Amino acid sequence: MKGLSTLIKLHKRKLDGLRRRMAALENEKAQLEALIGRLRDELARELVLAGRSPEMGNFFGDFARRIRTRQEQVMVEIAALDKKMNALREEISAAFGEMKKFEIALENAKRREREATNRK
């Protein structure tokens, strides 16, 4: 049983590490989504300024294209993060399944030991 307990501890550590990696990826995704919101707000502010000042209107087209290009780049980064997160979810699921197998084996060993003690 000691061996099973050790294996469970090892799998729990591995699972905790995977979950920390997932939290970091989720945090990074949230930051990128916030960046898209800030870019959208900046574009709206500049649109208002360009409407008020005709000379600013001349520069607005290039500015808007750069903002949209940056938003597209961020969306590509988010899509890549989503792929990483999906792969990591599968890895977490597999690690959890492995840990559960050892926990069930440990419980079965304890149950068999109790039954043997009760028979004596």
Side-chain angles (χ1 to χ4, degrees), residues 1-55:
M1 279 194 288
K2 179 121 173 113
L4 287 174
S5 296
T6 303
L7 286 173
I8 291 170
K9 287 178 186 178
L10 288 174
H11 277 81
K12 280 184 181 181
R13 284 189 193 134
K14 178 182 177 183
L15 193 57
D16 288 343
L18 292 173
R19 287 179 176 156
R20 279 191 296 276
R21 283 180 37 205
M22 179 61 81
L25 290 176
E26 288 171 347
N27 184 37
E28 188 176 344
K29 182 179 177 180
Q31 289 176 354
L32 290 173
E33 289 171 342
L35 175 60
I36 287 176
R38 288 191 306 271
L39 289 171
R40 189 179 315 115
D41 293 343
E42 186 176 350
L43 185 62
R45 281 192 307 273
E46 292 297 323
L47 181 60
V48 170
L49 289 174
R52 290 183 191 159
S53 173
E55 53 276 349

Side-chain angles (χ1 to χ4, degrees), residues 46-90:
E46 292 297 323
L47 181 60
V48 170
L49 289 174
R52 290 183 191 159
S53 173
E55 53 276 349
M56 290 297 292
N58 295 334
F59 302 106
F60 181 73
D62 289 335
F63 175 77
R65 271 191 295 282
R66 283 195 307 274
I67 292 290
R68 287 191 185 106
T69 300
R70 180 64 182 133
Q71 285 176 327
E72 290 170 3
Q73 291 170 345
V74 172
M75 292 302 290
V76 168
E77 290 177 39
I78 288 174
L81 274 177
D82 283 338
K83 286 181 183 179
K84 285 182 186 177
M85 289 169 68
N86 286 335
L88 191 54
R89 276 188 198 99
E90 290 176 13

